[in-house]
Amino acid sequence: AQKVTQAQTEISVVEKEDVTLDCVYETRDTTYYLFWYKQPPSGELVFLIRRNSFDEQNEISGRYSWNFQKSTSSFNFTITASQVVDSAVYFCALSEVNSGGSNYKLTFGKGTLLTVNP
Amino acid sequence: DVKVTQSSRYLVKRTGEKVFLECVQDMDHENMFWYRQDPGLGLRLIYFSYDVKMKEKGDIPEGYSVSREKKERFSLILESASTNQTSMYLCASRPAGPSSYEQYFGPGTRLTVT
């Protein structure tokens, strides 16, 4: 069975600090997709990024960057120069290509609450 | 713009009541999902529907049922609400196709059962 672990339940930083959110996953499949979602206080989960298991290139989007390492089954998310607006719950999720036909299901981690203080 | 709407942001119901949570998407997506979110437990899948009138149980279906009569609408039903169903309920949708497609989420309904 697939599993996603976000070991950090809560992180608190001061504005402008860099912060890394950890995500470790378990899967038996060789082909899979990893996602990060942001849930601001308004409640709606917002899609941030998707990565497939064959693409280990790191990605940068503005202040956000993602480090995918298949060897350690990790897909970590770094926010550079954090801002108060980054305060949210962040979820990592895993989708397997083949799981008994239910290839549209996501397995979510329990989330990391990030608080950025001014 | 992609849109998933849920009928209520906040709902208070009494134990034993029948509760309907409605979700509507305007993206013509085939797949729709209901999750509940609890502190320390993350998102857990209750039910999903891969097409009209088609449904499958998720990880925690007990105490819930669903209805998908039209493509755009997916309803979650609590037949007899109990206090342990107090939670945040999130609806999501996605197109049919590869598992690379992300899910689009609604704003959530915070249900309190007293």
Side-chain angles (χ1 to χ4, degrees):
Chain A
Q2 52 188 352
K3 184 179 177 183
V4 176
T5 301
Q6 294 180 254
Q8 304 147 308
T9 307
E10 293 187 36
I11 300 176
S12 182
V13 300
V14 177
E15 211 168 14
K16 297 185 183 175
E17 279 187 42
D18 298 347
V19 57
T20 295
L21 309 181
D22 297 332
C23 173
V24 173
Y25 62 93
E26 294 176 30
T27 178
R28 293 179 185 172
D29 276 9
T30 55
T31 304
Y32 50 88
Y33 291 87
L34 293 159
F35 301 79
W36 274 97
Y37 283 85
K38 174 182 179 180
Q39 185 182 38
S42 60
E44 184 173 331
L45 269 78
V46 176
F47 165 74
L48 294 178
I49 191 172
R50 162 188 44 245
R51 220 56 184 149
N52 76 55
S53 51
F54 295 110
D55 183 1
E56 289 195 67
Q57 265 197 322
N58 292 332
E59 180 152 343
I60 298 175
S61 175
R63 295 185 296 107
Y64 295 172
S65 63
W66 290 269
N67 182 291
F68 175 36
Q69 292 198 343
K70 212 167 176 178
S71 60
T72 56
S73 297
S74 66
F75 185 41
N76 297 337
F77 173 30
T78 297
I79 302 174
T80 303
S82 59
Q83 300 176 2
V84 172
V85 293
D86 296 326
S87 296
V89 181
Y90 291 87
F91 290 97
C92 181
L94 168 67
S95 174
E96 290 185 346
V97 172
N98 294 303
S99 54
S102 301
N103 63 346
Y104 29 72
K105 288 172 63 176
L106 284 178
T107 299
F108 284 87
K110 293 182 179 179
T112 297
L113 172 62
L114 172 65
T115 302
V116 181
N117 299 296
Chain B
D1 213 11
V2 165
K3 200 74 175 174
V4 179
T5 56
Q6 295 182 229
S7 50
S8 307
R9 290 302 302 271
Y10 299 93
L11 208 53
V12 180
K13 295 291 182 181
R14 293 190 182 276
T15 302
E17 275 192 78
K18 189 168 185 175
V19 181
F20 292 85
L21 302 183
E22 306 285 343
C23 175
V24 176
Q25 50 95 2
D26 65 0
M27 298 161 283
D28 203 35
H29 286 170
E30 287 78 14
N31 303 158
M32 295 187 75
F33 307 81
W34 275 107
Y35 296 89
R36 66 176 280 176
Q37 181 180 5
D38 301 288
L41 297 178
L43 272 72
R44 295 180 292 166
L45 182 64
I46 304 171
Y47 265 98
F48 62 98
S49 167
Y50 46 92
D51 210 338
V52 177
K53 297 191 187 293
M54 309 301 282
K55 61 187 179 186
E56 276 194 34
K57 293 180 181 178
D59 301 317
I60 51 164
E62 297 78 19
Y64 303 94
S65 62
V66 290
S67 172
R68 183 117 181 254
E69 296 297 318
K70 292 185 177 181
K71 193 174 186 180
E72 67 270 19
R73 187 180 297 270
F74 191 34
S75 304
L76 180 69
I77 303 157
L78 287 66
E79 295 289 343
S80 178
S82 64
T83 54
N84 63 11
Q85 292 178 310
T86 291
S87 187
M88 168 73 102
Y89 290 87
L90 292 163
C91 176
S93 73
R94 71 184 284 278
S99 55
S100 58
Y101 290 170
E102 69 267 26
Q103 294 182 14
Y104 296 86
F105 284 82
T109 295
R110 190 167 292 281
L111 173 67
T112 303
V113 183
T114 61

